[in-house]
PDB file of all heavy atoms in Angstrom:
ATOM      1  N   TYR A 545     -66.224 -79.319-141.063  1.00 88.00           N
ATOM      2  CA  TYR A 545     -65.941 -80.021-139.819  1.00 88.00           C
ATOM      3  C   TYR A 545     -67.103 -80.892-139.397  1.00 88.00           C
ATOM      4  O   TYR A 545     -68.255 -80.678-139.768  1.00 88.00           O
ATOM      5  CB  TYR A 545     -65.583 -78.998-138.732  1.00 88.00           C
ATOM      6  CG  TYR A 545     -64.420 -78.142-139.151  1.00 88.00           C
ATOM      7  CD1 TYR A 545     -64.611 -76.849-139.619  1.00 88.00           C
ATOM      8  CD2 TYR A 545     -63.127 -78.651-139.136  1.00 88.00           C
ATOM      9  CE1 TYR A 545     -63.548 -76.077-140.048  1.00 88.00           C
ATOM     10  CE2 TYR A 545     -62.060 -77.882-139.552  1.00 88.00           C
ATOM     11  CZ  TYR A 545     -62.271 -76.605-140.013  1.00 88.00           C
ATOM     12  OH  TYR A 545     -61.216 -75.847-140.445  1.00 88.00           O
ATOM     13  N   ASP A 596     -60.250 -66.387-125.894  1.00 56.00           N
ATOM     14  CA  ASP A 596     -60.992 -67.168-126.862  1.00 56.00           C
ATOM     15  C   ASP A 596     -61.160 -68.618-126.426  1.00 56.00           C
ATOM     16  O   ASP A 596     -62.129 -69.275-126.768  1.00 56.00           O
ATOM     17  CB  ASP A 596     -60.292 -67.116-128.228  1.00 56.00           C
ATOM     18  CG  ASP A 596     -58.848 -67.565-128.162  1.00 56.00           C
ATOM     19  OD1 ASP A 596     -57.976 -66.720-127.875  1.00 56.00           O
ATOM     20  OD2 ASP A 596     -58.594 -68.753-128.369  1.00 56.00           O
ATOM     21  N   GLU A 600     -64.509 -70.801-126.261  1.00 83.00           N
ATOM     22  CA  GLU A 600     -64.692 -72.121-126.874  1.00 83.00           C
ATOM     23  C   GLU A 600     -65.268 -73.108-125.869  1.00 83.00           C
ATOM     24  O   GLU A 600     -66.200 -73.867-126.182  1.00 83.00           O
ATOM     25  CB  GLU A 600     -63.350 -72.638-127.409  1.00 83.00           C
ATOM     26  CG  GLU A 600     -62.799 -71.856-128.571  1.00 83.00           C
ATOM     27  CD  GLU A 600     -61.375 -72.287-128.925  1.00 83.00           C
ATOM     28  OE1 GLU A 600     -60.918 -73.305-128.342  1.00 83.00           O
ATOM     29  OE2 GLU A 600     -60.738 -71.627-129.749  1.00 83.00           O
ATOM     30  N   TRP A 656     -51.446 -80.340-129.293  1.00 38.00           N
ATOM     31  CA  TRP A 656     -52.412 -79.479-129.969  1.00 38.00           C
ATOM     32  C   TRP A 656     -52.451 -79.790-131.454  1.00 38.00           C
ATOM     33  O   TRP A 656     -51.432 -80.030-132.092  1.00 38.00           O
ATOM     34  CB  TRP A 656     -52.019 -78.019-129.755  1.00 38.00           C
ATOM     35  CG  TRP A 656     -53.022 -77.054-130.310  1.00 38.00           C
ATOM     36  CD1 TRP A 656     -54.118 -76.587-129.691  1.00 38.00           C
ATOM     37  CD2 TRP A 656     -53.001 -76.436-131.594  1.00 38.00           C
ATOM     38  NE1 TRP A 656     -54.801 -75.724-130.481  1.00 38.00           N
ATOM     39  CE2 TRP A 656     -54.139 -75.612-131.672  1.00 38.00           C
ATOM     40  CE3 TRP A 656     -52.164 -76.521-132.702  1.00 38.00           C
ATOM     41  CZ2 TRP A 656     -54.433 -74.865-132.786  1.00 38.00           C
ATOM     42  CZ3 TRP A 656     -52.462 -75.766-133.810  1.00 38.00           C
ATOM     43  CH2 TRP A 656     -53.583 -74.963-133.838  1.00 38.00           C
ATOM     44  N   SER A 657     -53.632 -79.811-132.031  1.00 40.00           N
ATOM     45  CA  SER A 657     -53.755 -80.103-133.464  1.00 40.00           C
ATOM     46  C   SER A 657     -54.690 -79.106-134.105  1.00 40.00           C
ATOM     47  O   SER A 657     -55.567 -78.548-133.468  1.00 40.00           O
ATOM     48  CB  SER A 657     -54.295 -81.519-133.679  1.00 40.00           C
ATOM     49  OG  SER A 657     -55.556 -81.675-133.069  1.00 40.00           O
ATOM     50  N   TYR A 658     -54.525 -78.922-135.374  1.00 40.00           N
ATOM     51  CA  TYR A 658     -55.349 -77.986-136.106  1.00 40.00           C
ATOM     52  C   TYR A 658     -56.676 -78.624-136.449  1.00 40.00           C
ATOM     53  O   TYR A 658     -56.771 -79.838-136.626  1.00 40.00           O
ATOM     54  CB  TYR A 658     -54.657 -77.544-137.407  1.00 40.00           C
ATOM     55  CG  TYR A 658     -53.546 -76.601-137.163  1.00 40.00           C
ATOM     56  CD1 TYR A 658     -52.258 -77.063-136.893  1.00 40.00           C
ATOM     57  CD2 TYR A 658     -53.776 -75.244-137.154  1.00 40.00           C
ATOM     58  CE1 TYR A 658     -51.227 -76.190-136.639  1.00 40.00           C
ATOM     59  CE2 TYR A 658     -52.740 -74.357-136.897  1.00 40.00           C
ATOM     60  CZ  TYR A 658     -51.480 -74.831-136.653  1.00 40.00           C
ATOM     61  OH  TYR A 658     -50.469 -73.965-136.403  1.00 40.00           O
ATOM     62  N   PRO A 659     -57.709 -77.838-136.560  1.00 44.00           N
ATOM     63  CA  PRO A 659     -58.998 -78.374-136.908  1.00 44.00           C
ATOM     64  C   PRO A 659     -58.942 -79.132-138.222  1.00 44.00           C
ATOM     65  O   PRO A 659     -58.490 -78.618-139.240  1.00 44.00           O
ATOM     66  CB  PRO A 659     -59.886 -77.128-137.040  1.00 44.00           C
ATOM     67  CG  PRO A 659     -59.214 -76.116-136.198  1.00 44.00           C
ATOM     68  CD  PRO A 659     -57.758 -76.405-136.323  1.00 44.00           C
ATOM     69  N   LEU A 670     -48.435 -78.152-142.207  1.00 53.00           N
ATOM     70  CA  LEU A 670     -49.214 -77.636-141.088  1.00 53.00           C
ATOM     71  C   LEU A 670     -48.374 -77.559-139.821  1.00 53.00           C
ATOM     72  O   LEU A 670     -48.489 -76.619-139.038  1.00 53.00           O
ATOM     73  CB  LEU A 670     -50.440 -78.508-140.850  1.00 53.00           C
ATOM     74  CG  LEU A 670     -51.640 -78.257-141.766  1.00 53.00           C
ATOM     75  CD1 LEU A 670     -52.750 -79.255-141.461  1.00 53.00           C
ATOM     76  CD2 LEU A 670     -52.149 -76.847-141.603  1.00 53.00           C
ATOM     77  N   LYS A 672     -45.154 -77.106-139.661  1.00 63.00           N
ATOM     78  CA  LYS A 672     -44.240 -75.982-139.825  1.00 63.00           C
ATOM     79  C   LYS A 672     -44.974 -74.663-139.603  1.00 63.00           C
ATOM     80  O   LYS A 672     -44.452 -73.737-138.958  1.00 63.00           O
ATOM     81  CB  LYS A 672     -43.625 -76.017-141.224  1.00 63.00           C
ATOM     82  CG  LYS A 672     -42.595 -74.911-141.461  1.00 63.00           C
ATOM     83  CD  LYS A 672     -41.988 -75.040-142.847  1.00 63.00           C
ATOM     84  CE  LYS A 672     -40.958 -73.932-143.076  1.00 63.00           C
ATOM     85  NZ  LYS A 672     -40.361 -74.031-144.428  1.00 63.00           N
ATOM     86  N   LEU A 673     -46.222 -74.563-140.121  1.00 58.00           N
ATOM     87  CA  LEU A 673     -47.011 -73.355-139.946  1.00 58.00           C
ATOM     88  C   LEU A 673     -47.293 -73.112-138.475  1.00 58.00           C
ATOM     89  O   LEU A 673     -47.212 -71.982-137.980  1.00 58.00           O
ATOM     90  CB  LEU A 673     -48.321 -73.485-140.727  1.00 58.00           C
ATOM     91  CG  LEU A 673     -49.297 -72.304-140.632  1.00 58.00           C
ATOM     92  CD1 LEU A 673     -48.679 -71.056-141.240  1.00 58.00           C
ATOM     93  CD2 LEU A 673     -50.607 -72.641-141.331  1.00 58.00           C
ATOM     94  N   LYS A 674     -47.618 -74.159-137.743  1.00 58.00           N
ATOM     95  CA  LYS A 674     -47.903 -74.037-136.317  1.00 58.00           C
ATOM     96  C   LYS A 674     -46.669 -73.554-135.555  1.00 58.00           C
ATOM     97  O   LYS A 674     -46.738 -72.686-134.699  1.00 58.00           O
ATOM     98  CB  LYS A 674     -48.363 -75.378-135.760  1.00 58.00           C
ATOM     99  CG  LYS A 674     -48.511 -75.401-134.244  1.00 58.00           C
ATOM    100  CD  LYS A 674     -48.909 -76.782-133.790  1.00 58.00           C
ATOM    101  CE  LYS A 674     -48.990 -76.830-132.267  1.00 58.00           C
ATOM    102  NZ  LYS A 674     -47.700 -76.674-131.627  1.00 58.00           N
ATOM    103  N   SER A 675     -45.497 -74.130-135.873  1.00 62.00           N
ATOM    104  CA  SER A 675     -44.265 -73.743-135.192  1.00 62.00           C
ATOM    105  C   SER A 675     -43.943 -72.269-135.446  1.00 62.00           C
ATOM    106  O   SER A 675     -43.544 -71.541-134.532  1.00 62.00           O
ATOM    107  CB  SER A 675     -43.110 -74.619-135.661  1.00 62.00           C
ATOM    108  OG  SER A 675     -43.382 -75.979-135.382  1.00 62.00           O
ATOM    109  N   MET A 676     -44.115 -71.847-136.694  1.00 63.00           N
ATOM    110  CA  MET A 676     -43.852 -70.442-137.021  1.00 63.00           C
ATOM    111  C   MET A 676     -44.804 -69.518-136.274  1.00 63.00           C
ATOM    112  O   MET A 676     -44.409 -68.467-135.761  1.00 63.00           O
ATOM    113  CB  MET A 676     -43.997 -70.223-138.535  1.00 63.00           C
ATOM    114  CG  MET A 676     -42.909 -70.913-139.362  1.00 63.00           C
ATOM    115  SD  MET A 676     -43.220 -70.770-141.141  1.00 63.00           S
ATOM    116  CE  MET A 676     -43.227 -69.001-141.332  1.00 63.00           C
ATOM    117  N   TYR A 677     -46.066 -69.906-136.167  1.00 55.00           N
ATOM    118  CA  TYR A 677     -47.040 -69.063-135.476  1.00 55.00           C
ATOM    119  C   TYR A 677     -46.714 -68.955-133.993  1.00 55.00           C
ATOM    120  O   TYR A 677     -46.832 -67.889-133.397  1.00 55.00           O
ATOM    121  CB  TYR A 677     -48.445 -69.631-135.674  1.00 55.00           C
ATOM    122  CG  TYR A 677     -49.516 -68.782-135.031  1.00 55.00           C
ATOM    123  CD1 TYR A 677     -49.994 -67.642-135.660  1.00 55.00           C
ATOM    124  CD2 TYR A 677     -50.033 -69.111-133.781  1.00 55.00           C
ATOM    125  CE1 TYR A 677     -50.967 -66.845-135.067  1.00 55.00           C
ATOM    126  CE2 TYR A 677     -50.998 -68.320-133.180  1.00 55.00           C
ATOM    127  CZ  TYR A 677     -51.467 -67.192-133.834  1.00 55.00           C
ATOM    128  OH  TYR A 677     -52.417 -66.420-133.234  1.00 55.00           O
ATOM    129  N   GLU A 678     -46.295 -70.074-133.386  1.00 55.00           N
ATOM    130  CA  GLU A 678     -45.981 -70.051-131.961  1.00 55.00           C
ATOM    131  C   GLU A 678     -44.749 -69.204-131.676  1.00 55.00           C
ATOM    132  O   GLU A 678     -44.650 -68.563-130.635  1.00 55.00           O
ATOM    133  CB  GLU A 678     -45.781 -71.474-131.446  1.00 55.00           C
ATOM    134  CG  GLU A 678     -47.081 -72.278-131.386  1.00 55.00           C
ATOM    135  CD  GLU A 678     -46.862 -73.659-130.802  1.00 55.00           C
ATOM    136  OE1 GLU A 678     -45.685 -74.038-130.642  1.00 55.00           O
ATOM    137  OE2 GLU A 678     -47.853 -74.343-130.522  1.00 55.00           O
ATOM    138  N   GLU A 680     -43.926 -66.540-133.398  1.00 56.00           N
ATOM    139  CA  GLU A 680     -44.350 -65.154-133.539  1.00 56.00           C
ATOM    140  C   GLU A 680     -45.332 -64.743-132.454  1.00 56.00           C
ATOM    141  O   GLU A 680     -45.412 -63.573-132.093  1.00 56.00           O
ATOM    142  CB  GLU A 680     -44.998 -64.954-134.914  1.00 56.00           C
ATOM    143  CG  GLU A 680     -44.030 -65.152-136.079  1.00 56.00           C
ATOM    144  CD  GLU A 680     -44.735 -65.024-137.419  1.00 56.00           C
ATOM    145  OE1 GLU A 680     -45.960 -64.813-137.417  1.00 56.00           O
ATOM    146  OE2 GLU A 680     -44.063 -65.126-138.453  1.00 56.00           O
ATOM    147  N   SER A 681     -46.089 -65.693-131.922  1.00 57.00           N
ATOM    148  CA  SER A 681     -47.107 -65.408-130.897  1.00 57.00           C
ATOM    149  C   SER A 681     -46.911 -66.329-129.707  1.00 57.00           C
ATOM    150  O   SER A 681     -47.624 -67.319-129.557  1.00 57.00           O
ATOM    151  CB  SER A 681     -48.516 -65.576-131.486  1.00 57.00           C
ATOM    152  OG  SER A 681     -48.673 -64.807-132.649  1.00 57.00           O
ATOM    153  N   PHE A 684     -49.759 -67.472-127.456  1.00 51.00           N
ATOM    154  CA  PHE A 684     -50.705 -68.493-127.901  1.00 51.00           C
ATOM    155  C   PHE A 684     -50.443 -69.827-127.217  1.00 51.00           C
ATOM    156  O   PHE A 684     -51.343 -70.490-126.729  1.00 51.00           O
ATOM    157  CB  PHE A 684     -50.615 -68.644-129.427  1.00 51.00           C
ATOM    158  CG  PHE A 684     -51.513 -69.723-129.978  1.00 51.00           C
ATOM    159  CD1 PHE A 684     -52.867 -69.484-130.131  1.00 51.00           C
ATOM    160  CD2 PHE A 684     -51.007 -70.966-130.324  1.00 51.00           C
ATOM    161  CE1 PHE A 684     -53.706 -70.474-130.626  1.00 51.00           C
ATOM    162  CE2 PHE A 684     -51.834 -71.944-130.819  1.00 51.00           C
ATOM    163  CZ  PHE A 684     -53.176 -71.705-130.976  1.00 51.00           C
ATOM    164  N   ARG A 687     -51.124 -69.822-123.248  1.00 54.00           N
ATOM    165  CA  ARG A 687     -52.453 -69.566-122.713  1.00 54.00           C
ATOM    166  C   ARG A 687     -52.987 -70.779-121.962  1.00 54.00           C
ATOM    167  O   ARG A 687     -52.569 -71.913-122.168  1.00 54.00           O
ATOM    168  CB  ARG A 687     -53.420 -69.197-123.847  1.00 54.00           C
ATOM    169  CG  ARG A 687     -53.728 -70.329-124.793  1.00 54.00           C
ATOM    170  CD  ARG A 687     -54.692 -69.882-125.876  1.00 54.00           C
ATOM    171  NE  ARG A 687     -55.069 -71.004-126.718  1.00 54.00           N
ATOM    172  CZ  ARG A 687     -55.969 -70.942-127.682  1.00 54.00           C
ATOM    173  NH1 ARG A 687     -56.573 -69.805-127.918  1.00 54.00           N
ATOM    174  NH2 ARG A 687     -56.267 -72.001-128.400  1.00 54.00           N
ATOM    175  N   VAL A 719     -60.616 -76.204-132.918  1.00 87.00           N
ATOM    176  CA  VAL A 719     -61.755 -75.335-133.224  1.00 87.00           C
ATOM    177  C   VAL A 719     -61.331 -74.303-134.251  1.00 87.00           C
ATOM    178  O   VAL A 719     -60.278 -73.674-134.115  1.00 87.00           O
ATOM    179  CB  VAL A 719     -62.273 -74.628-131.949  1.00 87.00           C
ATOM    180  CG1 VAL A 719     -63.433 -73.705-132.289  1.00 87.00           C
ATOM    181  CG2 VAL A 719     -62.696 -75.652-130.902  1.00 87.00           C
ATOM    182  N   ALA A 720     -62.145 -74.154-135.289  1.00 89.00           N
ATOM    183  CA  ALA A 720     -61.894 -73.142-136.318  1.00 89.00           C
ATOM    184  C   ALA A 720     -63.033 -72.135-136.324  1.00 89.00           C
ATOM    185  O   ALA A 720     -64.184 -72.479-136.041  1.00 89.00           O
ATOM    186  CB  ALA A 720     -61.765 -73.795-137.688  1.00 89.00           C
ATOM    187  N   TYR A 721     -62.689 -70.890-136.616  1.00 90.00           N
ATOM    188  CA  TYR A 721     -63.678 -69.808-136.666  1.00 90.00           C
ATOM    189  C   TYR A 721     -63.870 -69.401-138.116  1.00 90.00           C
ATOM    190  O   TYR A 721     -62.907 -69.062-138.815  1.00 90.00           O
ATOM    191  CB  TYR A 721     -63.203 -68.600-135.864  1.00 90.00           C
ATOM    192  CG  TYR A 721     -62.993 -68.869-134.392  1.00 90.00           C
ATOM    193  CD1 TYR A 721     -61.871 -69.545-133.928  1.00 90.00           C
ATOM    194  CD2 TYR A 721     -63.922 -68.433-133.454  1.00 90.00           C
ATOM    195  CE1 TYR A 721     -61.667 -69.789-132.582  1.00 90.00           C
ATOM    196  CE2 TYR A 721     -63.733 -68.661-132.098  1.00 90.00           C
ATOM    197  CZ  TYR A 721     -62.607 -69.336-131.665  1.00 90.00           C
ATOM    198  OH  TYR A 721     -62.408 -69.573-130.329  1.00 90.00           O
ATOM    199  N   ILE A 762     -60.838 -63.306-132.194  1.00 81.00           N
ATOM    200  CA  ILE A 762     -60.571 -64.590-132.840  1.00 81.00           C
ATOM    201  C   ILE A 762     -59.080 -64.706-133.129  1.00 81.00           C
ATOM    202  O   ILE A 762     -58.495 -63.817-133.746  1.00 81.00           O
ATOM    203  CB  ILE A 762     -61.367 -64.722-134.150  1.00 81.00           C
ATOM    204  CG1 ILE A 762     -62.877 -64.696-133.856  1.00 81.00           C
ATOM    205  CG2 ILE A 762     -60.996 -65.997-134.885  1.00 81.00           C
ATOM    206  CD1 ILE A 762     -63.741 -64.709-135.093  1.00 81.00           C
ATOM    207  N   PRO A 763     -58.418 -65.809-132.704  1.00 78.00           N
ATOM    208  CA  PRO A 763     -56.995 -65.986-133.011  1.00 78.00           C
ATOM    209  C   PRO A 763     -56.791 -66.187-134.512  1.00 78.00           C
ATOM    210  O   PRO A 763     -57.538 -66.936-135.159  1.00 78.00           O
ATOM    211  CB  PRO A 763     -56.614 -67.243-132.218  1.00 78.00           C
ATOM    212  CG  PRO A 763     -57.896 -67.960-131.984  1.00 78.00           C
ATOM    213  CD  PRO A 763     -58.957 -66.914-131.893  1.00 78.00           C
ATOM    214  N   HIS A 764     -55.779 -65.540-135.062  1.00 79.00           N
ATOM    215  CA  HIS A 764     -55.564 -65.587-136.519  1.00 79.00           C
ATOM    216  C   HIS A 764     -55.305 -67.007-137.023  1.00 79.00           C
ATOM    217  O   HIS A 764     -55.721 -67.360-138.126  1.00 79.00           O
ATOM    218  CB  HIS A 764     -54.384 -64.682-136.896  1.00 79.00           C
ATOM    219  CG  HIS A 764     -54.665 -63.227-136.713  1.00 79.00           C
ATOM    220  ND1 HIS A 764     -55.591 -62.545-137.465  1.00 79.00           N
ATOM    221  CD2 HIS A 764     -54.158 -62.316-135.832  1.00 79.00           C
ATOM    222  CE1 HIS A 764     -55.632 -61.285-137.079  1.00 79.00           C
ATOM    223  NE2 HIS A 764     -54.777 -61.118-136.083  1.00 79.00           N
ATOM    224  N   ILE A 765     -54.633 -67.813-136.231  1.00 80.00           N
ATOM    225  CA  ILE A 765     -54.279 -69.153-136.679  1.00 80.00           C
ATOM    226  C   ILE A 765     -55.499 -70.029-136.858  1.00 80.00           C
ATOM    227  O   ILE A 765     -55.478 -71.029-137.579  1.00 80.00           O
ATOM    228  CB  ILE A 765     -53.294 -69.813-135.672  1.00 80.00           C
ATOM    229  CG1 ILE A 765     -52.640 -71.053-136.267  1.00 80.00           C
ATOM    230  CG2 ILE A 765     -54.004 -70.124-134.364  1.00 80.00           C
ATOM    231  CD1 ILE A 765     -51.723 -70.769-137.412  1.00 80.00           C
ATOM    232  N   SER A 766     -56.613 -69.668-136.214  1.00 82.00           N
ATOM    233  CA  SER A 766     -57.833 -70.475-136.290  1.00 82.00           C
ATOM    234  C   SER A 766     -58.906 -69.829-137.159  1.00 82.00           C
ATOM    235  O   SER A 766     -60.047 -70.295-137.164  1.00 82.00           O
ATOM    236  CB  SER A 766     -58.398 -70.693-134.878  1.00 82.00           C
ATOM    237  OG  SER A 766     -57.440 -71.255-134.020  1.00 82.00           O
ATOM    238  N   LEU A 767     -58.560 -68.778-137.870  1.00 86.00           N
ATOM    239  CA  LEU A 767     -59.561 -67.991-138.594  1.00 86.00           C
ATOM    240  C   LEU A 767     -59.635 -68.406-140.065  1.00 86.00           C
ATOM    241  O   LEU A 767     -58.612 -68.571-140.730  1.00 86.00           O
ATOM    242  CB  LEU A 767     -59.210 -66.506-138.498  1.00 86.00           C
ATOM    243  CG  LEU A 767     -60.120 -65.528-139.250  1.00 86.00           C
ATOM    244  CD1 LEU A 767     -61.541 -65.585-138.702  1.00 86.00           C
ATOM    245  CD2 LEU A 767     -59.562 -64.114-139.164  1.00 86.00           C
ATOM    246  N   ILE A 768     -60.863 -68.580-140.550  1.00 87.00           N
ATOM    247  CA  ILE A 768     -61.141 -68.831-141.964  1.00 87.00           C
ATOM    248  C   ILE A 768     -62.124 -67.760-142.424  1.00 87.00           C
ATOM    249  O   ILE A 768     -63.186 -67.595-141.833  1.00 87.00           O
ATOM    250  CB  ILE A 768     -61.748 -70.230-142.195  1.00 87.00           C
ATOM    251  CG1 ILE A 768     -60.787 -71.315-141.725  1.00 87.00           C
ATOM    252  CG2 ILE A 768     -62.083 -70.426-143.666  1.00 87.00           C
ATOM    253  CD1 ILE A 768     -61.373 -72.715-141.796  1.00 87.00           C
TER     254      ILE A 768
END
Side-chain angles (χ1 to χ4, degrees):
Y545 303 102
D596 56 273
E600 293 172 8
W656 185 86
S657 59
Y658 286 87
L670 279 177
K672 183 178 180 181
L673 179 64
K674 172 182 177 293
S675 300
M676 292 174 60
Y677 182 81
E678 289 183 350
E680 295 177 359
S681 306
F684 177 78
R687 68 180 185 175
V719 179
Y721 298 77
I762 297 175
H764 291 294
I765 194 67
S766 305
L767 178 62
I768 299 174

